[in-house]
Amino acid sequence: MTVEFADVQRLPLPEKAHTMWVRDELADYLHVPHDGSRVEIVGGEIVVSPGPALNHNNIVATIQDAMAVARAREKDFPWRAVQTTDLNLAEIQDGYIPDLIVLHEKKLRAALDAGARYVMSTDVAMAVEVASPSNAGNDRQPGLHHRKDTKWTGYARCGIPHYLVVDCAPSACLATLFADPAPEARAYCAVTTWKFGETITLPEPYGVDIETEDWEPWTP
């Protein structure tokens, strides 16, 4: 479900969508049920997505577990992976709820100590999205004939160093790591891909391997 700004004007919203999202008021104003649905602002549009399926959650858990294993093995491993935390991209007036974010333990501790409801783009080292049928277009890199901004565009614009997209479409079954963001170009300049069944090797500063043999495409 996507609510265009034109539709927002007809509601109308009492304030800017991003302002209400930051205050955690947007979902209630739109009467979104508290059933796991996510309310985000992507490329200037309000996007409401249903709660994820089991296969989706298994993939996210696999990535998070791999980070936890690295932490257990290396006492100086500084990276933490956190699920479904609000990410305020204030510089572009977007607000995302990534499936997973990876941040340095010092950044996480500072946010926890401050009692933050969300993190900022400068806190995030890597964002992870697992594409689902309802939101795949918002997670992927825009195509040549698709000029709409997506999360790929937004993460690049905000300079987030790495963006990992797991595309579970039956025609894809790929994990793609984007790196080297160019904010002014609204793009990532480096890309690495793995097929389901292959081992993802995250580059430094992470140095983490992620097994994907039990990852499956979504059901058509």
Side-chain angles (χ1 to χ4, degrees):
M1 172 182 174
T2 301
V3 184
E4 306 280 354
F5 265 144
D7 298 323
V8 169
Q9 293 301 319
R10 288 194 290 270
L11 288 175
L13 290 178
E15 297 182 75
K16 290 182 179 180
H18 179 259
T19 301
M20 297 181 68
W21 185 90
V22 167
R23 294 204 303 256
D24 200 21
E25 298 173 354
L26 187 58
D28 287 341
Y29 188 84
L30 298 173
H31 303 292
V32 176
H34 296 277
D35 58 357
S37 297
R38 302 182 190 179
V39 178
E40 302 174 283
I41 303 173
V42 182
E45 296 178 357
I46 300 172
V47 177
V48 181
S49 303
L54 179 60
N55 180 52
H56 176 285
N57 288 340
N58 177 60
I59 292 172
V60 175
T62 300
I63 299 169
Q64 188 172 32
D65 287 350
M67 301 295 291
V69 168
R71 179 184 177 187
R73 289 176 176 171
E74 304 172 33
K75 65 178 182 178
D76 296 328
F77 188 76
W79 303 105
R80 302 292 180 266
V82 184
Q83 292 191 35
T84 57
T85 296
D86 287 2
L87 173 56
N88 182 6
L89 304 179
E91 51 269 72
I92 61 172
Q93 296 288 285
D94 271 7
Y96 305 163
I97 307 176
D99 289 314
L100 200 72
I101 58 171
V102 176
L103 65 170
H104 196 282
E105 60 186 358
K106 291 181 179 179
K107 297 278 189 178
L108 176 59
R109 175 46 53 192
L112 291 170
D113 290 345
R117 193 186 68 78
Y118 52 76
V119 296
M120 306 298 293
S121 61
T122 51
D123 296 325
V124 178
M126 180 169 65
V128 179
E129 300 284 3
V130 178
S132 299
S134 63
N135 63 12
N138 288 317
D139 294 336
R140 296 171 178 149
Q141 177 181 359
L144 292 175
H145 303 292
H146 181 74
R147 297 302 179 185
K148 173 186 171 184
D149 284 346
T150 66
K151 288 187 175 181
W152 183 89
T153 312
Y155 289 134
R157 290 177 67 188
C158 294
I160 290 177
H162 294 98
Y163 176 35
L164 179 64
V165 182
V166 181
D167 196 332
C168 298
S171 60
C173 293
L174 286 174
T176 304
L177 181 67
F178 296 98
D180 193 12
E184 292 187 3
R186 308 157 72 97
Y188 282 96
C189 301
V191 57
T192 307
T193 62
W194 300 267
K195 297 178 182 178
F196 284 15
E198 297 178 338
T199 299
I200 296 171
T201 299
L202 297 179
E204 294 300 329
Y206 318 107
V208 172
D209 290 338
I210 303 169
E211 302 298 334
T212 69
E213 68 273 4
D214 66 343
W215 291 7
E216 298 178 354
W218 67 54
T219 303

